[in-house]
DNA sequence: AGCACGCCGACT
DNA sequence: GTCGGCGTGCTC
């Protein structure tokens, strides 16, 4: 039949295109085949579950090669149209196979082709008022009375199946009990309790907060991106809360993205106290069913707010009203493998197509966002003051050149530490390296413990008595004598959190101390326990990696020491300086309150470095001015758009061959305004046993980059050399390593 | 990515 | 004589 529709399907495969199929043979299947429905299709030898992205009237594929859909898996689209738009946009922008983009969007529970319904049955249980209800009020409603009695006997709630097993027309009675407010339906563990006992009163907004709220509410039905640039403690969350409540009041939903799971509970707790709507959490720690539950609830408009990490940017929303990206500068919003999307950037794209505001909040804006604000693409809202009675900490450089160092601590740093402890305060020691020491070396022959699979040193982990590679999974026993010369004179060089902890325990044996890093918080609940020790005052010295710099506030910390800031100054990655500045400011933001302003000491061997000087003398925005001037001069982002083509293989040759051919392909496209850098070996060429190389594409104009990529990728895919490497394209890479 | 097909070495 | 190596090509 000439009139048969052609279904353009995204099939899970690394191929950068859609596949055309004919509708299934069974009768009636033609009715309403629409984009967003899942279909089972023959693909190669097997069957796969794909998603219809478009329905066309004709195909470029010869009719004899078209195959038929085996089954249509949904009677209604599972993915609503606005989210399909995001899929199409993202697949185009990131030049990623649409089938893999769909995999990122669809909850795992829907990828296998099972019906888009929860297997966790709904339950009904008594509410607080239902538990205290007087059964006498139900004298004229015997069914309700029976039902109430059954529910009273089952505090964990009853499912529809359980209720039906008692026979009779239970549904009207149940509906009546729900209407009385005595019984509530429950979806499952992913949805937070629907109604908190009491809504806390609003704290007053200060002038800047009020202005920020008013600015966003001035046009709630129009797309506008706001950069909420507020120092730590300035009350950004309160601004989000007020806006979210307005949005909910208008019957709309809000999506709030946070960089990591650890930050969701505190934000949820706060939202729960203040918002009388069902909330959903979405992060990688959920089970498939919990995730599906939250996803469906958001899609069907049954929750007012979704709080989630990176992948939550793909949650469908029935009535979006506001998007919030908290800590927008955080690297965690960029997926670092596979489909390398930026959740922050996609959030802005979503807001634009939904015609609603998006707020990017942070104390340390990324240079991209700051630049967007100066170009008026974003509107900047500033919260310059801490909301409570706190004063910003004083940041000072500590020139440690030629000073005798004790386990990474200089004498002035130790004196400051002693002084702070003596005056009854807490101290935070920040060192961005876990383990005991980054190097183990033989003092007799110079042998260094290296990873067999990476171009990296093994890190000494004293507590586990082992050597670990921080770039792959390699672990081995700590050598007792030198494997090269046999001498029993191995020494650990450099410092990690574990060593600083040991040194400070020896020096301050009577002072409570906690170490917070990935190693010491691996066990469930241990982070919470440590944070409780800090808040309760039993721990007065906190040592940790950047885990410590995120989210938590420690009001009794009156001194923060940054031990190794220099790592960010001379890195191969042009963003390293920006990350260092953000980290220092974030660490500084953890400390101090009004009566005890905090002090931050940054140890450095480069006190004259322009980045550090700008940061100390003129604050974070002073640093940004300096860094932006340098980026402009170098022609780097945000003054250019870049993409990185990476390749890796077990041997050294193939990645460079492939990238060399890729470079030739790029030149053959004849695109102008494009600069190709490389191919060059990655800064750590061998990692986990694989050799890595990269080719960077730089264009002053973003449009030129997209034009090039659109022509380049099809040519790249045809290159025979792709067979011998694993390759990937990273548009807007965050780590150029 | 999988999975086919296809052309050259060590085994029953 | 075959089982099987992984090089190349395709998936509507």
């Amino acid at each position: 039949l000439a009139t048969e529709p052609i279904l353009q399907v995204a099939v899970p495969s690394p191929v950068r295109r859609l596949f055309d199929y004919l509708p299934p043979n069974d009768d009636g299947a033609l009715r309403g085949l629409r984009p967003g429905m899942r279909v089972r299709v023959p693909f190669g030898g097997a069957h796969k579950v794909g998603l219809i992205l478009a329905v066309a009237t004709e195909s470029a594929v010869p009719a004899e090669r078209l195959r038929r859909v085996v089954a249509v898996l949904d009677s209604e689209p599972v993915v609503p149209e606005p989210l399909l738009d995001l899929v199409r946009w993202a697949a185009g922008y990131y030049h990623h196979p649409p089938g893999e983009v769909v995999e990122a969007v669809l909850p795992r529970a829907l990828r296998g082709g099972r019906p888009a319904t929860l297997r966790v049955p709904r339950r009904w249980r008594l509410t607080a008022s239902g538990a205290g209800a007087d059964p006498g009020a139900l004298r004229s409603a015997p069914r309700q009375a029976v039902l109430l009695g059954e529910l009273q006997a089952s505090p964990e709630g009853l499912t529809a199946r359980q209720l039906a097993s008692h026979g009779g027309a239970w549904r009207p009675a149940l509906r009546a009990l729900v209407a009385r407010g005595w019984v509530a339906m429950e979806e499952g563990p992913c949805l937070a309790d629907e109604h908190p006992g009491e809504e806390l009163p609003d704290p007053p907004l200060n002038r800047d907060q009020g202005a920020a709220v008013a600015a966003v509410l001035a046009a709630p039905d129009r797309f506008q991106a706001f950069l909420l640039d507020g120092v730590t403690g300035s009350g950004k969350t309160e601004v989000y809360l007020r806006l979210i409540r307005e949005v909910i009041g208008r019957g709309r939903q809000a999506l709030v993205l946070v960089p990591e799971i650890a930050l969701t509970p505190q934000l949820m707790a706060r939202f729960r106290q203040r918002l009388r709507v069902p909330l959903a959490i979405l992060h990688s720690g959920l089970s498939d069913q919990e995730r599906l539950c939250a996803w469906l609830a958001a899609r069907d408009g049954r929750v007012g707010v979704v709080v989630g990490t990176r992948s939550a940017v793909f949650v469908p929303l029935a009535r979006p009203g506001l998007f919030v990206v908290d800590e927008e500068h955080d690297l965690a919003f960029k997926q670092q493998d596979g489909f390398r999307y930026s959740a922050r950037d996609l959030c802005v794209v979503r807001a634009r197509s939904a015609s609603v505001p998006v707020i990017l909040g942070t104390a340390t804006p990324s240079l991209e966002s700051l630049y967007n604000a100066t170009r008026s693409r974003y509107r900047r809202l500033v919260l310059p003051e801490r909301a409570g009675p706190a004063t910003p900490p004083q940041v000072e450089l500590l020139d440690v050149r030629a000073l005798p160092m004790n386990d990474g601590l200089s004498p002035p740093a130790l004196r400051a530490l002693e002084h702070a402890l003596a005056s009854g305060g807490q101290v935070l020691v920040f060192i961005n390296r876990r383990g005991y020491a980054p190097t183990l070396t033989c003092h007799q022959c110079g042998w260094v413990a290296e990873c067999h699979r990476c171009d990296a040193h093994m890190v000494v982990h004293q507590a586990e008595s082992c050597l670990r590679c921080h770039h792959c999974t390699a672990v081995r026993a700590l050598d007792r004598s030198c494997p090269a010369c046999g001498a029993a004179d191995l020494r650990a060089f450099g410092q990690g959190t574990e060593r600083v902890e040991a040194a400070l325990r020896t020096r301050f044996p009577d002072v409570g101390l906690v170490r917070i890093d990935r190693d010491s918080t691996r066990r469930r609940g241990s982070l919470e326990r440590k944070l409780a020790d800090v808040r309760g005052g039993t721990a007065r010295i906190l040592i940790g990696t950047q885990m410590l710099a995120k989210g938590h506030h420690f009001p009794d910390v009156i001194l923060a020491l940054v031990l190794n800031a220099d790592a960010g100054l001379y890195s191969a990655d042009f963003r390293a300086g920006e990350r260092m500045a953000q980290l220092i400011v974030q660490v500084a933001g953890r400390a101090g309150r009004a009566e005890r302003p905090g002090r931050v000491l940054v140890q450095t061997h480069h006190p004259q470095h322009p980045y550090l000087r700008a940061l100390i003398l003129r604050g974070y925005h002073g640093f940004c001015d300096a860094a932006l001037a340098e980026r402009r001069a170098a022609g780097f982002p945000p003054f250019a758009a870049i993409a990185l083509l990476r390749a890796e293989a077990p041997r050294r040759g193939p990645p460079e061959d492939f990238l060399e051919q890729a470079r030739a392909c790029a030149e053959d496209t004849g695109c102008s305004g494009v600069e190709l850098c490389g191919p060059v070996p990655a800064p750590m060429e061998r990692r986990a046993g694989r050799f890595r190389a990269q080719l960077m594409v730089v264009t002053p104009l973003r449009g030129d980059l997209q034009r090039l990529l659109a022509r380049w990728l099809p040519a790249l895919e045809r290159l025979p050399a792709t067979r011998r490497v694993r390759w990937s394209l990273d548009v807007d890479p965050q780590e150029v390593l």
Side-chain angles (χ1 to χ4, degrees), chain A residues 199-215:
Chain A
E199 198 170 351
L200 288 184
D202 287 345
L205 293 180
N206 66 29
R207 208 192 46 203
D208 301 307
Q209 288 174 311
V213 170

Side-chain angles (χ1 to χ4, degrees), chain A residues 223-268:
Chain A
F223 164 70
Q224 193 168 1
F226 296 90
L227 176 61
L228 183 61
D229 181 354
V231 300
T232 313
S234 61
K236 291 185 288 292
T237 308
E238 190 58 36
V239 173
Y240 305 153
L241 258 169
R242 297 296 179 98
L243 292 170
I244 290 169
R245 208 166 46 199
E246 287 298 323
V247 163
I248 289 167
R250 295 155 43 87
R252 313 281 282 275
Q253 298 165 287
L255 173 64
V256 181
L257 298 184
V258 295
E260 54 177 291
I261 303 181
L263 300 179
T264 53
Q266 46 181 318
L267 201 61
M268 287 302 281

Side-chain angles (χ1 to χ4, degrees), chain A residues 121-124 147 150-151 154 156-167 170:
Chain A
R122 296 175 170 186
R123 305 172 158 271
W124 284 268
L147 215 49
E150 280 166 15
L151 287 163
S154 315
E156 73 286 2
L158 292 170
T159 62
R161 184 192 298 255
Q162 289 168 317
L163 289 167
S165 71
H166 295 282
W170 56 276

Side-chain angles (χ1 to χ4, degrees), chain A residues 124-138 144-145 148 151-152 174-185:
Chain A
W124 284 268
R125 74 159 91 177
L126 290 191
T127 61
S129 56
D134 172 20
L138 296 176
Q144 288 183 51
L148 190 71
L151 287 163
Q152 267 164 349
L174 184 72
R175 204 170 301 132
L177 288 173
V178 170
R180 283 176 198 267
W182 291 358
V183 170
M185 190 194 58

Side-chain angles (χ1 to χ4, degrees), chain A residues 406-426:
Chain A
N406 296 291
D407 296 301
L409 291 144
S410 63
L414 279 168
R415 278 198 300 278
L417 208 154
E418 272 163 20
H419 183 257
L421 290 174
S423 67
Q426 289 179 321

Side-chain angles (χ1 to χ4, degrees), chain A residues 99 235 254 257 272 320 323 331 400 416 426 450 544 590 624 694 735:
Chain A
L257 298 184
R272 227 169 263 168
F323 294 91
L331 235 61
V400 296
Q426 289 179 321
E450 285 168 338
R590 301 305 117 212
C624 290
Q694 58 191 36
E735 285 178 298

Side-chain angles (χ1 to χ4, degrees), chain A residues 386-503:
Chain A
R386 290 195 173 191
T391 47
Q394 195 69 39
V395 181
E396 303 159 46
L397 288 185
L398 194 54
D399 181 359
V400 296
R401 284 175 299 180
L403 292 183
M405 302 296 276
N406 296 291
D407 296 301
L409 291 144
S410 63
L414 279 168
R415 278 198 300 278
L417 208 154
E418 272 163 20
H419 183 257
L421 290 174
S423 67
Q426 289 179 321
V427 179
L428 188 158
V429 180
F430 176 83
I431 172 164
N432 210 3
R433 182 176 271 144
R434 63 195 173 87
Y436 183 81
T439 305
L440 182 71
T441 181
C442 173
H443 194 53
Q444 295 302 310
C445 73
W447 170 86
V448 171
E450 285 168 338
C451 178
H452 300 312
R453 308 172 65 219
C454 308
D455 294 330
H457 293 174
M458 297 290 278
V459 177
V460 181
H461 283 247
Q462 193 88 287
E464 299 171 288
S465 188
C466 69
L467 292 166
R468 283 183 180 278
C469 175
H470 286 186
H471 304 280
C472 70
T473 55
V475 188
R476 56 180 202 253
L478 196 53
D479 301 277
R480 301 201 154 267
S481 55
C482 175
C485 74
D489 195 4
L490 297 179
R491 302 189 185 183
F493 272 100
Q495 287 76 38
T497 46
E498 225 187 280
R499 183 175 212 161
V500 174
E501 177 190 15

